[in-house]
Coordinates of all heavy atoms in Angstrom, one line a residue:
I437 N -6.9 29.6 -41.0 CA -7.9 28.8 -40.4 C -9.3 29.4 -40.8 O -10.3 28.7 -41.1 CB -7.7 28.7 -38.9 CG1 -6.5 27.9 -38.6 CG2 -9.0 28.0 -38.2 CD1 -6.1 27.9 -37.1
I438 N -9.4 30.7 -40.7 CA -10.7 31.4 -41.1 C -11.1 31.1 -42.5 O -12.2 30.8 -42.8 CB -10.6 32.9 -40.8 CG1 -10.5 33.2 -39.3 CG2 -11.8 33.6 -41.4 CD1 -10.2 34.6 -39.0
L439 N -10.1 31.1 -43.4 CA -10.3 30.9 -44.8 C -10.8 29.4 -45.0 O -11.7 29.2 -45.8 CB -9.1 31.1 -45.7 CG -9.2 31.0 -47.2 CD1 -10.3 31.9 -47.7 CD2 -7.9 31.2 -47.9
I440 N -10.1 28.5 -44.4 CA -10.5 27.1 -44.5 C -11.9 26.8 -44.0 O -12.8 26.1 -44.6 CB -9.5 26.2 -43.8 CG1 -8.1 26.2 -44.5 CG2 -10.0 24.7 -43.7 CD1 -7.0 25.5 -43.7
L441 N -12.2 27.4 -42.8 CA -13.6 27.3 -42.2 C -14.6 27.9 -43.1 O -15.7 27.4 -43.3 CB -13.6 28.0 -40.8 CG -12.8 27.2 -39.7 CD1 -12.9 28.0 -38.4 CD2 -13.4 25.8 -39.5
A442 N -14.3 29.1 -43.8 CA -15.2 29.7 -44.7 C -15.5 28.8 -45.9 O -16.7 28.7 -46.3 CB -14.7 31.1 -45.2
V443 N -14.5 28.1 -46.5 CA -14.7 27.2 -47.6 C -15.6 26.1 -47.2 O -16.6 25.7 -47.9 CB -13.4 26.7 -48.1 CG1 -13.6 25.6 -49.2 CG2 -12.6 27.9 -48.7
L444 N -15.3 25.5 -46.0 CA -16.1 24.3 -45.5 C -17.6 24.8 -45.2 O -18.5 24.1 -45.6 CB -15.5 23.7 -44.3 CG -14.1 23.1 -44.5 CD1 -13.6 22.6 -43.2 CD2 -14.2 21.9 -45.5
L445 N -17.7 26.0 -44.6 CA -19.0 26.5 -44.3 C -19.8 26.8 -45.5 O -21.0 26.6 -45.6 CB -18.9 27.7 -43.4 CG -20.2 28.3 -42.8 CD1 -20.9 27.3 -41.9 CD2 -19.9 29.6 -42.1
S446 N -19.1 27.3 -46.5 CA -19.9 27.7 -47.8 C -20.4 26.4 -48.4 O -21.6 26.4 -48.9 CB -18.9 28.4 -48.7 OG -17.9 27.5 -49.2
R447 N -19.7 25.3 -48.4 CA -20.2 24.1 -49.1 C -21.4 23.6 -48.3 O -22.4 23.2 -48.9 CB -19.1 23.1 -49.1 CG -17.9 23.4 -50.1 CD -16.8 22.4 -50.1 NE -15.8 22.7 -51.0 CZ -14.7 22.0 -51.1 NH1 -14.5 20.8 -50.4 NH2 -13.7 22.3 -52.0
T448 N -21.2 23.6 -46.9 CA -22.3 23.0 -46.1 C -23.6 23.8 -46.2 O -24.7 23.3 -46.5 CB -21.9 23.0 -44.6 OG1 -20.7 22.2 -44.5 CG2 -23.0 22.3 -43.8
L449 N -23.4 25.2 -46.1 CA -24.6 26.0 -46.2 C -25.3 26.0 -47.6 O -26.5 26.1 -47.7 CB -24.2 27.5 -45.8 CG -23.9 27.7 -44.3 CD1 -23.6 29.1 -44.0 CD2 -25.0 27.2 -43.4
S450 N -24.5 26.0 -48.6 CA -25.0 26.0 -50.0 C -25.8 24.7 -50.2 O -26.9 24.7 -50.8 CB -23.9 26.1 -51.0 OG -23.1 25.0 -51.0
R451 N -25.3 23.6 -49.7 CA -26.1 22.3 -49.8 C -27.4 22.4 -49.0 O -28.5 21.9 -49.5 CB -25.3 21.1 -49.3 CG -24.1 20.8 -50.3 CD -23.2 19.8 -49.7 NE -22.0 19.5 -50.5 CZ -21.0 18.8 -50.2 NH1 -21.0 18.2 -48.9 NH2 -20.0 18.6 -51.0
L452 N -27.3 22.9 -47.8 CA -28.6 23.0 -47.0 C -29.5 24.0 -47.7 O -30.8 23.7 -47.7 CB -28.2 23.5 -45.6 CG -27.4 22.5 -44.7 CD1 -27.1 23.2 -43.4 CD2 -28.3 21.3 -44.4
F453 N -29.0 25.1 -48.2 CA -29.9 26.0 -48.9 C -30.5 25.4 -50.1 O -31.7 25.7 -50.4 CB -29.1 27.3 -49.2 CG -29.8 28.4 -49.9 CD1 -30.9 29.0 -49.2 CD2 -29.6 28.8 -51.2 CE1 -31.6 30.0 -49.8 CE2 -30.3 29.8 -51.8 CZ -31.3 30.4 -51.1
E454 N -29.7 24.6 -50.9 CA -30.3 24.0 -52.1 C -31.4 23.0 -51.7 O -32.4 22.9 -52.4 CB -29.2 23.3 -52.8 CG -29.6 22.8 -54.2 CD -28.4 22.4 -55.0 OE1 -27.3 22.3 -54.5 OE2 -28.6 22.0 -56.2
R455 N -31.2 22.3 -50.6 CA -32.2 21.3 -50.2 C -33.5 22.1 -49.8 O -34.6 21.6 -50.0 CB -31.7 20.5 -49.0 CG -30.6 19.5 -49.3 CD -30.1 18.8 -48.1 NE -29.0 18.0 -48.4 CZ -28.2 17.4 -47.4 NH1 -28.5 17.6 -46.1 NH2 -27.2 16.6 -47.8
Q456 N -33.4 23.2 -49.1 CA -34.5 23.9 -48.7 C -35.3 24.5 -49.9 O -36.5 24.4 -49.9 CB -34.1 25.1 -47.7 CG -33.6 24.6 -46.4 CD -34.7 23.9 -45.6 OE1 -35.9 24.2 -45.6 NE2 -34.3 22.8 -44.9
I457 N -34.6 25.1 -50.8 CA -35.3 25.7 -52.0 C -35.8 24.6 -53.0 O -36.6 24.9 -53.8 CB -34.4 26.7 -52.7 CG1 -33.1 26.0 -53.3 CG2 -34.0 27.9 -51.8 CD1 -32.2 27.0 -54.0
T458 N -35.2 23.4 -52.8 CA -35.7 22.3 -53.7 C -37.2 22.0 -53.4 O -38.0 21.5 -54.2 CB -34.9 21.0 -53.5 OG1 -33.5 21.3 -53.9 CG2 -35.3 19.9 -54.4
K459 N -37.6 22.2 -52.1 CA -39.0 22.0 -51.7 C -39.9 23.0 -52.4 O -41.1 22.8 -52.3 CB -39.1 22.1 -50.2 CG -38.2 21.0 -49.5 CD -38.3 21.2 -48.0 CE -37.4 20.2 -47.3 NZ -37.4 20.4 -45.8
K460 N -39.4 24.1 -52.9 CA -40.3 25.1 -53.5 C -40.5 24.6 -55.0 O -39.7 24.7 -55.8 CB -39.6 26.5 -53.6 CG -39.1 26.9 -52.2 CD -40.2 27.1 -51.2 CE -39.7 27.7 -49.9 NZ -40.8 27.8 -48.9
A461 N -41.7 24.2 -55.2 CA -42.0 23.6 -56.5 C -42.0 24.6 -57.6 O -41.8 24.3 -58.8 CB -43.4 23.0 -56.4
Y462 N -42.2 25.9 -57.3 CA -42.3 26.9 -58.4 C -40.9 27.4 -58.9 O -40.8 28.1 -59.8 CB -43.1 28.1 -57.9 CG -42.5 28.8 -56.7 CD1 -41.5 29.8 -56.7 CD2 -43.0 28.4 -55.4 CE1 -41.0 30.4 -55.6 CE2 -42.4 29.0 -54.3 CZ -41.5 30.0 -54.4 OH -41.0 30.6 -53.2
L463 N -39.8 26.9 -58.2 CA -38.5 27.2 -58.6 C -37.9 26.1 -59.5 O -37.9 25.0 -59.1 CB -37.6 27.5 -57.4 CG -37.9 28.7 -56.5 CD1 -36.9 28.7 -55.3 CD2 -37.8 30.0 -57.3
E464 N -37.5 26.5 -60.7 CA -36.9 25.5 -61.6 C -35.5 25.1 -61.1 O -34.8 25.8 -60.4 CB -36.8 26.0 -63.0 CG -36.0 27.3 -63.1 CD -36.0 27.8 -64.6 OE1 -37.1 27.8 -65.2 OE2 -35.0 28.3 -65.0
P465 N -35.1 23.9 -61.5 CA -33.8 23.4 -61.1 C -32.6 24.3 -61.4 O -31.7 24.4 -60.6 CB -33.6 22.0 -61.8 CG -35.0 21.6 -62.1 CD -35.8 22.9 -62.3
G466 N -32.6 24.9 -62.6 CA -31.5 25.8 -62.9 C -31.4 27.0 -62.0 O -30.3 27.4 -61.6
L467 N -32.6 27.6 -61.6 CA -32.5 28.7 -60.7 C -32.1 28.3 -59.3 O -31.3 29.0 -58.6 CB -33.9 29.3 -60.6 CG -34.1 30.6 -59.7 CD1 -33.1 31.7 -60.1 CD2 -35.5 31.1 -59.7
R468 N -32.5 27.1 -58.8 CA -32.0 26.6 -57.5 C -30.5 26.4 -57.5 O -29.8 26.8 -56.6 CB -32.7 25.3 -57.2 CG -34.2 25.3 -57.2 CD -34.7 23.9 -57.2 NE -36.2 23.8 -57.4 CZ -36.8 22.7 -57.7 NH1 -36.2 21.6 -57.7 NH2 -38.1 22.8 -57.9
Y469 N -30.0 25.9 -58.6 CA -28.5 25.7 -58.7 C -27.8 27.1 -58.7 O -26.8 27.2 -58.0 CB -28.2 25.0 -60.0 CG -26.7 24.8 -60.2 CD1 -26.1 23.6 -59.7 CD2 -26.0 25.7 -61.0 CE1 -24.7 23.4 -59.9 CE2 -24.6 25.4 -61.2 CZ -24.0 24.3 -60.7 OH -22.7 24.1 -60.9
T470 N -28.3 28.1 -59.4 CA -27.7 29.4 -59.4 C -27.7 30.0 -58.0 O -26.7 30.6 -57.6 CB -28.5 30.3 -60.4 OG1 -28.4 29.7 -61.7 CG2 -27.9 31.7 -60.4
L471 N -28.8 30.0 -57.3 CA -28.9 30.5 -56.0 C -27.9 29.8 -55.0 O -27.3 30.5 -54.2 CB -30.3 30.4 -55.4 CG -31.4 31.3 -56.2 CD1 -32.8 31.0 -55.6 CD2 -31.1 32.8 -56.1
A472 N -27.8 28.5 -55.1 CA -26.9 27.8 -54.2 C -25.5 28.2 -54.5 O -24.6 28.4 -53.6 CB -27.1 26.3 -54.4
R473 N -25.1 28.3 -55.8 CA -23.8 28.7 -56.2 C -23.4 30.1 -55.7 O -22.3 30.3 -55.2 CB -23.6 28.6 -57.7 CG -23.4 27.2 -58.2 CD -22.0 26.7 -57.9 NE -21.8 25.3 -58.3 CZ -20.6 24.7 -58.3 NH1 -19.6 25.3 -57.8 NH2 -20.5 23.5 -58.7
L474 N -24.3 31.0 -55.9 CA -24.1 32.4 -55.5 C -23.9 32.5 -54.0 O -23.1 33.2 -53.5 CB -25.2 33.3 -55.9 CG -25.3 33.5 -57.4 CD1 -26.6 34.4 -57.7 CD2 -24.1 34.2 -57.9
T475 N -24.7 31.7 -53.2 CA -24.5 31.6 -51.7 C -23.1 31.1 -51.4 O -22.5 31.7 -50.5 CB -25.6 30.7 -51.1 OG1 -26.9 31.2 -51.5 CG2 -25.4 30.7 -49.6
Q476 N -22.6 30.1 -52.1 CA -21.3 29.6 -51.8 C -20.2 30.6 -52.1 O -19.3 30.8 -51.3 CB -21.1 28.3 -52.6 CG -19.7 27.7 -52.4 CD -19.6 26.4 -53.1 OE1 -20.5 26.0 -53.9 NE2 -18.4 25.7 -53.0
Y477 N -20.3 31.3 -53.2 CA -19.3 32.3 -53.6 C -19.3 33.5 -52.7 O -18.3 34.0 -52.3 CB -19.6 32.8 -55.0 CG -19.4 31.7 -56.1 CD1 -20.1 31.8 -57.3 CD2 -18.6 30.6 -55.9 CE1 -19.9 30.8 -58.3 CE2 -18.4 29.6 -56.8 CZ -19.1 29.7 -58.0 OH -18.9 28.8 -59.0
I478 N -20.5 33.9 -52.2 CA -20.6 35.1 -51.3 C -19.9 34.7 -49.9 O -19.2 35.5 -49.4 CB -22.0 35.5 -51.1 CG1 -22.6 36.1 -52.4 CG2 -22.2 36.5 -49.9 CD1 -24.1 36.4 -52.3
I479 N -20.2 33.5 -49.4 CA -19.6 33.1 -48.1 C -18.1 33.0 -48.3 O -17.3 33.5 -47.4 CB -20.2 31.8 -47.7 CG1 -21.7 31.9 -47.3 CG2 -19.4 31.3 -46.4 CD1 -22.3 30.7 -47.0
I480 N -17.6 32.5 -49.4 CA -16.1 32.4 -49.6 C -15.5 33.8 -49.7 O -14.4 34.0 -49.1 CB -15.8 31.5 -50.8 CG1 -16.2 30.1 -50.6 CG2 -14.3 31.6 -51.2 CD1 -16.0 29.2 -51.8
A481 N -16.2 34.7 -50.4 CA -15.6 36.0 -50.6 C -15.6 36.8 -49.2 O -14.6 37.4 -48.9 CB -16.5 36.8 -51.5
L482 N -16.6 36.7 -48.4 CA -16.6 37.3 -47.1 C -15.6 36.7 -46.2 O -14.9 37.4 -45.4 CB -18.0 37.2 -46.4 CG -19.1 38.0 -47.1 CD1 -20.5 37.7 -46.5 CD2 -18.8 39.5 -47.1
G483 N -15.4 35.3 -46.2 CA -14.4 34.7 -45.4 C -13.0 35.1 -45.9 O -12.1 35.3 -45.0
A484 N -12.8 35.3 -47.2 CA -11.5 35.7 -47.6 C -11.1 37.1 -47.1 O -10.0 37.4 -46.7 CB -11.4 35.6 -49.1
L485 N -12.1 38.0 -47.2 CA -11.9 39.4 -46.7 C -11.6 39.4 -45.2 O -10.7 40.1 -44.7 CB -13.2 40.2 -47.0 CG -13.4 40.5 -48.5 CD1 -14.7 41.3 -48.6 CD2 -12.3 41.3 -49.1
W486 N -12.4 38.6 -44.4 CA -12.1 38.5 -43.0 C -10.8 37.9 -42.7 O -10.1 38.4 -41.8 CB -13.3 37.7 -42.3 CG -13.2 37.7 -40.8 CD1 -12.6 38.6 -40.0 CD2 -13.8 36.8 -40.0 NE1 -12.7 38.3 -38.7 CE2 -13.5 37.2 -38.6 CE3 -14.6 35.6 -40.2 CZ2 -14.0 36.5 -37.5 CZ3 -15.1 34.9 -39.0 CH2 -14.7 35.4 -37.8
A487 N -10.4 36.9 -43.4 CA -9.1 36.3 -43.2 C -7.9 37.3 -43.5 O -6.9 37.3 -42.8 CB -8.9 35.0 -44.1
L488 N -8.1 38.0 -44.6 CA -7.0 39.1 -44.9 C -7.0 40.1 -43.8 O -5.9 40.5 -43.4 CB -7.3 39.7 -46.2 CG -7.1 38.8 -47.5 CD1 -7.6 39.5 -48.7 CD2 -5.6 38.5 -47.6
K489 N -8.1 40.5 -43.3 CA -8.2 41.5 -42.3 C -7.6 41.0 -41.0 O -6.8 41.7 -40.3 CB -9.6 42.0 -42.0 CG -9.7 43.1 -41.0 CD -11.1 43.6 -40.9 CE -11.3 44.7 -39.9 NZ -10.5 45.9 -40.3
F490 N -7.8 39.7 -40.6 CA -7.3 39.1 -39.4 C -5.8 38.9 -39.5 O -5.1 39.1 -38.5 CB -8.1 37.8 -39.1 CG -7.7 37.2 -37.8 CD1 -8.4 37.6 -36.6 CD2 -6.7 36.3 -37.7 CE1 -8.1 37.0 -35.4 CE2 -6.3 35.7 -36.5 CZ -7.0 36.1 -35.4
A491 N -5.4 38.4 -40.7 CA -4.0 38.1 -40.8 C -3.0 39.3 -41.0 O -2.0 39.3 -40.4 CB -3.8 37.1 -42.0
F492 N -3.5 40.3 -41.7 CA -2.6 41.4 -42.0 C -3.0 42.7 -41.4 O -2.4 43.8 -41.6 CB -2.5 41.6 -43.5 CG -1.9 40.4 -44.2 CD1 -2.7 39.5 -44.9 CD2 -0.5 40.1 -44.2 CE1 -2.2 38.4 -45.5 CE2 0.0 39.0 -44.8 CZ -0.9 38.1 -45.5
S493 N -4.2 42.7 -40.7 CA -4.7 43.9 -40.0 C -4.9 45.1 -41.0 O -4.4 46.2 -40.7 CB -3.8 44.3 -38.8 OG -3.8 43.3 -37.9
I494 N -5.4 44.8 -42.2 CA -5.6 45.8 -43.2 C -7.1 46.1 -43.3 O -7.9 45.2 -43.1 CB -5.0 45.4 -44.5 CG1 -5.6 44.1 -45.0 CG2 -3.5 45.3 -44.4 CD1 -5.0 43.6 -46.3
D495 N -7.4 47.3 -43.7 CA -8.8 47.7 -43.9 C -9.3 47.4 -45.3 O -8.5 47.0 -46.1 CB -9.0 49.2 -43.5 CG -8.1 50.1 -44.3 OD1 -7.5 49.6 -45.3 OD2 -8.1 51.3 -44.1
L496 N -10.6 47.6 -45.5 CA -11.2 47.3 -46.8 C -10.6 48.2 -47.9 O -10.6 47.8 -49.1 CB -12.7 47.5 -46.7 CG -13.4 46.5 -45.8 CD1 -14.9 46.8 -45.8 CD2 -13.1 45.0 -46.2
T497 N -10.2 49.4 -47.6 CA -9.6 50.3 -48.6 C -8.3 49.7 -49.2 O -8.1 49.6 -50.4 CB -9.3 51.7 -48.0 OG1 -10.5 52.2 -47.5 CG2 -8.8 52.6 -49.1

Side-chain angles (χ1 to χ4, degrees):
I437 293 175
I438 291 174
L439 183 59
I440 294 174
L441 291 176
V443 173
L444 297 177
L445 184 63
S446 67
R447 293 179 180 178
T448 303
L449 291 182
S450 63
R451 290 172 183 172
L452 292 176
F453 183 63
E454 190 172 5
R455 289 176 186 172
Q456 291 297 323
I457 61 179
T458 301
K459 301 177 182 179
K460 309 295 183 182
Y462 58 88
L463 292 178
E464 60 184 38
L467 182 58
R468 301 169 192 166
Y469 179 86
T470 300
L471 293 176
R473 281 287 179 171
L474 291 178
T475 302
Q476 183 177 359
Y477 295 152
I478 290 174
I479 294 175
I480 292 177
L482 293 177
L485 293 176
W486 187 18
L488 289 174
K489 185 175 179 60
F490 186 88
F492 300 101
S493 300
I494 55 179
D495 56 7
L496 296 180
T497 304

